[in-house]
Amino acid sequence: MASSRGSGRGKVRNLVLVLGDQLDAASTAFEDFDPQQDRVLMIEASGEAQHVWSHKARIALFLSAMRHFAAELRAHGLHVDYVPLAGNPHASLLDSLDAKIVALAPQKLVLVEPGEWRLERGIEAVAARRDVPLAIRDDLHFLVSRHEFAEWTKGRKVLLLETFYRFARQRTGHLMEAGKPAGGAWNYDRENRGAFGKSGPGRVPPPPRFKPDKITRDALDEVARRFPDHPGSLEHFGWPVTRTQALEALGAFVKDRLPSFGRYQDAMWRGEPFLYHSLLSAALNLKLLSPREVIEAAIAALRAKRAPLAAVEGFVRQILGWREFVRGVYWRNMPAMREANHFRHRRALPKWYWTGATAMHCMRETIGQTLDHGYAHHIQRLMITGMFGLIAELDPKQVADWYLAVYVDAVEWVELPNVAGMALYADGGRFTTKPYAASGAYVNRMSNYCAGCRYDPKQRTGASACPMTVLYWNFLERNRAELAAQPRTALMVRNLARLSETERAAIRRHARTLLANLDSL
């Protein structure tokens, strides 16, 4: 394709591309912005909603937040060239970008690091094809840059969260006292594994939900009209779509739910989709909030004795530890991570992942709330939908695409490592120390999902046997040599060896039947 340089550059000095997950007014993309010479470009492209079969609420969140951010930039005097869905002749974001470069002939294309390998490579290709200089700037939203993470990995054969977390704590000074961890311990996991008793969680302070304004209502209406066959509901939409709303959500979490977050962060309860979780991941991943201010707000609550150390440390570990860690792992391992399939699992995603229409209460509850809200908390994602994907031998690509599609906070840099690396062990343990597999007994211990379910978590065979339990034991059987060699899974295999060969054969037969009929569970 011919270069645009031959026709001469236009009056635009820097064309600053702002992607849908880069809604940060303090972004390095704006650090030398000149309103007289530069222009912001924001693009709505239907292909980004259809790259995976995105939840309606996920599409609406991106559209509403982008439109609010564009209005904010304009209010501050920036020239924003905004391409709406209704006026975009191109389904592809990259094709739209290409057309704008041709039309505006900028002297330079500027953006901060995208959150997806696919887009970064695609933008580089467009700029090269049009012979326009490209400046991809560090995303200072994150506390550890991609370069710093790469430096940290040098000489390390194994990448572990705990090692990185300690590095990040020491580097930032968060929860450190005179060079040592606050309270004398680096983490308080043992205090943060509580389950609710039979009476349940009681009254949990509800998170704020934000009534849609005109911009959001228009986005909701457009999504309902343009993407009617996409999964999920718009009925419950109340996510923060502006920085002001995101700050309100942060304040409410720290005040009302952080004190109990740590103890119950792994617990689940029917009809309680949110419990004590922050619901800040969407605002963080859109860059409406910075991790620094979120961490500092939690630590301020600790200092004011409004939240215990175990709760604050558990929350900080999710932000400063895991969130930063998986971003570094993503960029270090792409594009191979996308193709990883350690166990060579090939089974298709059951149809009920898109409907919740299954007799398994745990899956029905988790998928049902996901379709209603575009949200499930980390244990529901890891130990319900993710773990089932592992032990049911589902194709990692199909599972990863589902996660990217159905959660409002999903951006690939955080979604793919969590799914392919942690939930499915598809990368063979490049940054995790074991496959996360458990029987229905775990679900029964951490929730009330099993009550009234047609499947019994204690049964390994027979018509009432829980599929989670049957497939767990079958997974151990199929991979016993590898699991026996790992310190953190060897005990599981020893427990398998305690079963008689007759029962193990019955489990294998039952598992084959289940795996051949996943859509019917």
Side-chain angles (χ1 to χ4, degrees), residues 148-368:
E148 288 169 328
F149 187 87
E151 286 293 310
W152 176 80
T153 66
K154 286 183 177 179
R156 298 179 187 274
K157 294 181 179 180
V158 179
L159 304 183
L160 295 177
L161 167 65
E162 186 63 28
T163 308
F164 173 80
Y165 177 50
R166 294 183 184 191
F167 158 77
R169 289 264 296 270
Q170 291 167 331
R171 181 183 176 279
T172 62
H174 291 313
L175 291 179
M176 299 295 293
E177 297 172 349
K180 296 182 179 180
W186 288 102
N187 74 63
Y188 294 85
D189 269 353
R190 292 185 179 181
E191 297 180 38
N192 290 343
R193 295 172 180 166
F196 301 119
K198 291 184 179 180
S199 60
R203 183 187 178 278
V204 179
R209 307 299 284 172
F210 298 94
K211 184 178 179 180
D213 61 8
K214 185 180 186 307
I215 291 176
T216 301
R217 289 197 306 271
D218 288 346
L220 293 171
D221 290 345
E222 187 165 10
V223 170
R225 185 173 65 255
R226 288 181 177 271
F227 306 101
D229 63 334
H230 279 234
S233 170
L234 294 169
E235 180 181 354
H236 307 285
F237 191 94
W239 294 101
V241 293
T242 67
R243 175 159 170 76
T244 298
Q245 291 177 346
L247 288 169
E248 182 180 339
L250 170 61
F253 166 67
V254 170
K255 175 179 177 291
D256 297 331
R257 302 190 307 287
L258 175 61
S260 296
F261 164 78
R263 181 179 180 185
Y264 296 118
Q265 65 175 302
D266 288 2
M268 300 170 281
W269 200 259
R270 193 180 300 175
E272 292 283 354
F274 308 129
L275 291 169
Y276 294 101
H277 292 271
S278 74
L279 278 71
L280 298 176
S281 55
L284 275 164
N285 293 350
L286 292 176
K287 316 293 172 57
L288 298 176
L289 291 174
S290 81
R292 293 169 184 81
E293 65 190 340
V294 170
I295 291 168
E296 288 166 2
I299 293 175
L302 171 66
R303 290 172 176 159
K305 299 183 179 181
R306 296 195 303 268
L309 176 59
V312 172
E313 186 280 319
F315 180 67
V316 169
R317 182 159 16 103
Q318 287 193 354
I319 307 298
L320 178 60
W322 190 247
R323 186 172 185 267
E324 297 281 334
F325 181 66
V326 296
R327 178 182 183 251
V329 166
Y330 172 82
W331 287 106
R332 186 176 187 267
N333 291 287
M334 284 299 285
M337 180 180 287
R338 173 71 179 155
E339 305 299 322
N341 192 349
H342 176 71
F343 292 114
R344 297 181 176 86
H345 289 166
R346 303 293 182 195
R347 297 187 187 278
L349 196 75
K351 294 177 182 177
W352 43 260
Y353 262 73
W354 298 105
T355 66
T358 171
M360 287 185 287
H361 279 189
C362 58
M363 298 294 286
R364 188 171 68 197
E365 183 75 14
T366 299
I367 293 173

Side-chain angles (χ1 to χ4, degrees), residues 115-132:
E116 188 169 343
W117 184 90
R118 170 186 66 96
L119 281 179
E120 184 164 290
R121 297 291 88 79
I123 291 166
E124 288 173 344
V126 170
R129 183 169 65 247
R130 290 300 176 186
D131 197 21
V132 59

